[in-house]
Amino acid sequence: MTDDIFSLRISTNEFTGRDRLEAFRENFGKAILRVEMEPASHEAFHADMMLHALPAFGMATGSISPVCNHHTPALIDNDDVVIVFLERGNATFEREGHTTDVREGEAVVTENGAVARFCGHTTTHLTNLRFSREKLVPLLGGRFPDAVRQPKLAGSEALALLKHYATLVHDGLQATSTQTRQFVVDHLYELAAHAIGAGYSTRTAAERHGLRAARLYAIKTAILKNLGNRALSAASVAEQQGITSRYVQLLFESEGTTFSEFLLAQRLKRAHRLLSDPAFGKQSISEIAFEVGFNDLSYFNRTFRRAYGATPSDVRQAAKKSD
């Protein structure tokens, strides 16, 4: 937990005794999810969920045995918009007399201000994303589409990127800066607006600002995770992202730089950090250079000095003096 992000894991394994199910339903179902939970099979009930809460955004992800979650009038306390990804299993979503079958890989949108019922007919793995209606609706041109008859969200790049960003939240957004977390949340909203409001007047703006920025962020994340790979290239990253290498280059050009310049800057930055850290004092300069992805030691020395106005040896010596 940091100043603006809260995470909590809750599992039926944490509850013991005969009242195990009831305790989970009260502490997780009613108090947190605001739903009545009714097991939908005779097998032993189990659930394991991870919750993340950021300003104006919430997320719950995990697995749960067959269960019906009923959002009753008595439990309605906000009008947030919720997108539910069904990653494994099959389920049924019911609202205002309309029933929708939800299959593995599909997503539906609903509102916390509406009475609804979501029933998992098998053990399911779900990801729920919660958005402030007040913040989301302006991105949809000031109105929320009728999701009663068509709650399913059509497969789109925006929906895929929305799921990818949710993975970033789940995999360790706590370790990032407050500014980065706000950046991610802002783009989650833009992507959600585009995924929900296809056909609205805001679609072009959401696509321009949300999709391009989200794609570039995903590319940068992939680069940072693979800096030590000396074969890393725009082509290899493009293949991983399912886009063309030319599109990768265009995204970096929109920021006034290039793929190669960004890659070099990040490798030099990591090398500088390692050289400045006494914990890596036993590693030679050449070992550090190769570890961060350089093939040529003389090129590393030359570009490092150009970037920092000092040689790698100078930086290491300065770190030793200040230790």
Side-chain angles (χ1 to χ4, degrees):
M1 178 177 177
T2 68
D3 58 344
D4 64 347
I5 183 170
F6 173 79
S7 297
L8 172 68
R9 183 175 184 178
I10 186 164
S11 169
T12 47
N13 294 331
E14 299 172 4
F15 300 92
T16 59
R18 295 172 59 185
D19 296 329
R20 175 170 173 261
L21 171 59
E22 189 59 32
F24 185 84
R25 290 167 60 185
E26 289 293 326
N27 288 277
F28 179 72
K30 288 185 179 179
I32 297 176
L33 288 188
R34 307 295 295 170
V35 295
E36 293 280 2
M37 305 180 76
E38 294 293 338
S41 75
H42 296 296
E43 66 180 77
F45 179 75
H46 66 86
D48 188 3
M49 303 293 292
M50 190 71 190
L51 312 177
H52 303 282
L54 290 87
F57 175 77
M59 173 178 169
T61 184
S63 62
I64 191 166
S65 58
V67 66
C68 283
N69 295 328
H70 188 194
H71 191 48
T72 65
L75 293 175
I76 293 175
D77 63 353
N78 65 75
D79 60 355
D80 290 345
V81 176
V82 179
I83 294 177
V84 182
F85 289 91
L86 184 61
E87 298 177 46
R88 288 197 298 274
N90 61 79
T92 301
F93 177 74
E94 303 172 24
R95 180 179 166 189
E96 296 184 20
H98 298 276
T99 301
T100 301
D101 291 326
V102 189
R103 299 179 179 84
E104 186 170 311
E106 295 182 330
V108 294
V109 60
T110 185
E111 303 158 84
N112 277 350
V115 174
R117 187 179 181 90
F118 190 94
C119 292
H121 304 301
T122 62
T123 293
T124 56
H125 190 95
L126 300 166
T127 295
N128 293 358
L129 306 182
R130 177 179 54 79
F131 300 90
S132 163
R133 185 186 186 93
E134 183 180 2
K135 184 175 179 179
L136 181 62
V137 168
L139 299 176
L140 290 162
R143 59 186 178 132
F144 189 77
D146 181 7
V148 175
R149 297 180 181 277
Q150 296 293 335
K152 281 188 187 180
L153 296 177
S156 64
E157 185 181 14
L159 193 63
L161 284 171
L162 180 62
K163 184 64 176 64
H164 174 75
Y165 260 50
T167 302
L168 294 180
V169 174
H170 182 65
D171 288 349
L173 200 61
Q174 295 94 330
T176 62
S177 67
T178 299
Q179 182 178 11
T180 298
R181 289 193 289 273
Q182 188 58 57
F183 174 87
V184 171
V185 170
D186 287 345
H187 285 298
L188 281 165
Y189 270 86
E190 291 175 335
L191 291 169
H194 183 60
I196 294 170
Y200 281 77
S201 61
T202 54
R203 180 177 182 179
T204 301
E207 185 171 24
R208 183 174 64 250
H209 299 296
L211 297 182
R212 288 175 68 88
R215 179 62 78 188
L216 183 57
Y217 185 83
I219 289 169
K220 288 181 177 179
T221 300
I223 292 172
L224 293 175
K225 287 182 178 179
N226 295 280
L227 282 181
N229 178 5
R230 297 173 205 170
L232 191 65
S233 65
S236 64
V237 171
E239 182 178 3
Q240 180 192 44
Q241 296 290 320
I243 56 179
T244 66
S245 57
R246 178 55 185 156
Y247 186 49
V248 171
Q249 297 290 7
L250 286 172
L251 289 173
F252 279 101
E253 287 174 16
S254 70
E255 289 197 334
T257 186
T258 67
F259 175 90
S260 298
E261 288 171 347
F262 177 81
L263 176 59
L264 175 61
Q266 296 305 313
R267 281 175 168 164
L268 290 172
K269 185 181 296 185
R270 181 169 294 181
H272 188 281
R273 186 167 64 250
L274 296 178
L275 290 166
S276 302
D277 189 341
F280 296 90
K282 292 184 178 180
Q283 279 190 272
S284 69
I285 291 175
S286 60
E287 286 175 332
I288 287 177
F290 295 140
E291 182 178 324
V292 301
F294 284 91
N295 288 309
D296 186 324
L297 185 59
S298 62
Y299 176 69
F300 166 69
N301 287 324
R302 186 167 65 253
T303 54
F304 189 96
R305 184 165 189 169
R306 185 185 307 140
Y308 294 104
T311 66
S313 297
D314 293 336
V315 171
R316 170 159 280 179
Q317 289 301 318
K320 288 180 178 179
K321 291 178 181 178
S322 61
D323 186 24

